[in-house]
Amino acid sequence: MVGGYIKHILLGFILYQLYYILSENLTSYFMSTLPAVALAGATGNIGSHIARGFLTSESRSSFSDIIILTRDLNNEVAQGFKANHGATIRQVDFNDEASIEKALEGVTVVVDALGAGPGGKGLRSRELLLEAASKAGAKIYFPSEYGVDVSKVDYSVPIWRAKQVFQEKARATSMKIITVTAGIFMESAFTPGMGFDTANLKWTIIGSPNTKFTVTSKGDVGLSVASFASIAVKTPDAVPNDVRIAGHVLSFEEARQIFTKDSGDDIKYELLDLESTGKEYREKAKTVAITDSPLVSFVPFLRLALAEGMVDYSTNNNDLINSQEKSWKWKKVEDYSKEVNGRPYV
């Protein structure tokens, strides 16, 4: 009787050990068969939000490894991603194609979030990353876009033209190229340089205050890129080559009402004629250089794009990744306004 009882205990123990060993091995097996994603620029302005999107959302389970490419192994942000979220860090010289290619060994998805840098100096690094990704055998590539859809803008602005040329070069590779455009980053949209001089209660608007435009928070951009990548590695054709997301589509007047409600301030407009201002800016576009400051080479033309309705992303791909906001809640301007007490950049 006692002997039979002991046999049952021993059998149970053996079965438990077998289950534990098999489950560990199966987990390792399935993880090893999942694709890896590499993030370039993951410690930067938008790149850090994209990294968090991959590391902290449901998309994490779609990848065996989230690899942070960095020039400095001791970078505090990169080390935080490793310590807190299990990211892998690989050191790379973004000015050396061979160094980049080596860092991309075994990678299926490459996400470029490298900045253009002062005077466009970072554009060469983007080209080298693209070339290295193609040679390393990557299958899916996200170019460093995330803002305005430059393919729809007809101004001859050097930085946008450089992006257009880059997109053409990227699509000539065998990789699937996915460009993600999100309008203007919510956190940097309502600045004095963009005409929103909230401190002096004056907004200078080109055209009509009722024109709609799109703003998307950096956090939502990060979650969106990760979600598109997660879908694309399973079913590449399910994700279009050009996708648009929209955290919040609203008019200048709707934005003014939101901020004045939270601040109690009375913001007034200074309206500039769309036709004459558009003609003036198009002439200016012919003379700016990529080495000029953003306030000269970029911001005026972004304001014109808003005024001409080119950043109204009412038609978008939100439902592909976040249908009925089942995955997360899009951040709205109302949320941002409460964070800054209705006074952005004051």
Side-chain angles (χ1 to χ4, degrees):
M1 189 78 174
V2 175
Y5 178 71
I6 293 174
K7 286 180 181 179
H8 281 298
I9 292 176
L10 289 172
L11 180 60
F13 177 76
I14 292 169
L15 289 173
Y16 174 79
Q17 290 297 316
L18 285 172
Y19 168 79
Y20 178 80
I21 293 170
L22 287 172
S23 63
E24 285 291 301
N25 287 337
L26 284 172
T27 299
S28 299
Y29 170 76
F30 284 119
M31 285 298 291
S32 68
T33 60
L34 290 173
V37 58
L39 312 178
T43 61
N45 180 30
I46 187 62
S48 59
H49 293 275
I50 293 175
R52 290 187 190 95
F54 276 96
L55 290 164
T56 64
S57 71
E58 295 177 357
S59 301
R60 178 66 183 89
S61 62
S62 297
F63 302 96
S64 62
D65 204 0
I66 311 296
I67 302 168
I68 307 296
L69 304 181
T70 179
R71 297 178 177 88
D72 179 10
L73 288 176
N74 296 316
N75 180 279
E76 186 176 341
V77 177
Q79 286 295 332
F81 288 143
K82 178 181 179 180
N84 299 323
H85 305 293
T88 297
I89 303 177
R90 291 184 184 176
Q91 190 171 29
V92 62
D93 178 358
F94 286 112
N95 296 315
D96 183 344
E97 184 180 334
S99 172
I100 304 171
E101 186 177 348
K102 180 175 177 57
L104 294 178
E105 289 179 358
V107 168
T108 299
V109 182
V110 176
V111 178
D112 179 3
L114 294 171
K121 292 181 179 179
L123 296 176
R124 180 55 182 160
S125 293
R126 292 179 181 176
E127 293 179 357
L128 292 174
L129 179 65
L130 174 68
E131 293 165 5
S134 181
K135 291 180 180 179
K139 303 299 182 185
I140 300 170
Y141 191 94
F142 288 80
S144 185
E145 294 293 340
Y146 316 117
V148 174
D149 185 353
V150 297
S151 68
K152 307 301 181 185
V153 180
D154 63 352
Y155 322 134
S156 299
V157 181
I159 188 65
W160 284 349
R161 181 54 189 157
K163 286 190 172 188
Q164 291 168 346
V165 171
F166 183 89
Q167 287 185 20
E168 294 168 2
K169 184 175 182 179
R171 299 203 188 284
T173 70
S174 60
M175 297 182 291
K176 178 177 178 64
I177 307 299
I178 303 175
T179 60
V180 180
T181 50
I184 306 176
F185 298 145
M186 187 178 295
E187 298 84 352
S188 54
F190 301 97
T191 66
M194 286 291 292
F196 301 100
D197 189 1
T198 306
N200 292 308
L201 305 181
K202 185 177 77 172
W203 284 9
T204 303
I205 306 299
I206 303 171
S208 170
N210 297 315
T211 301
K212 290 186 178 294
F213 60 98
T214 303
V215 291
T216 306
S217 75
K218 296 175 185 178
D220 285 343
V221 172
L223 290 169
S224 299
V225 173
S227 298
F228 284 126
S230 179
I231 296 171
V233 293
K234 301 179 184 75
T235 315
D237 292 340
V239 180
N241 293 332
D242 298 286
V243 291
R244 287 182 171 184
I245 57 172
H248 196 167
V249 179
L250 75 171
S251 68
F252 293 99
E253 175 58 21
E254 288 169 335
R256 189 188 73 85
Q257 291 179 16
I258 291 170
F259 288 120
T260 56
K261 178 182 177 182
D262 288 331
S263 67
D265 297 332
D266 185 16
I267 300 171
K268 302 294 186 182
Y269 288 121
E270 178 184 356
L271 300 179
L272 304 180
D273 179 69
L274 177 58
E275 184 177 355
S276 59
T277 305
K279 183 177 180 180
E280 176 189 347
Y281 281 15
R282 279 179 165 79
E283 286 300 312
K284 283 184 178 178
K286 299 175 183 178
T287 63
V288 299
I290 201 167
T291 53
D292 291 334
S293 75
L295 287 175
V296 174
S297 65
F298 171 69
V299 172
F301 311 103
L302 181 57
R303 293 180 63 195
L304 183 58
L306 263 65
E308 294 184 337
M310 294 185 183
V311 196
D312 179 356
Y313 297 166
S314 297
T315 301
N316 54 62
N317 302 95
N318 284 10
D319 284 347
L320 177 59
I321 53 172
N322 192 20
S323 178
Q324 299 179 343
E325 296 186 301
K326 292 178 181 178
S327 297
W328 75 87
K329 295 293 183 183
W330 295 98
K331 185 174 184 178
K332 302 298 183 183
V333 172
E334 288 88 346
D335 304 317
Y336 172 67
S337 177
K338 286 180 171 57
E339 293 174 1
V340 298
N341 298 315
R343 295 185 174 96
Y345 289 86
V346 173

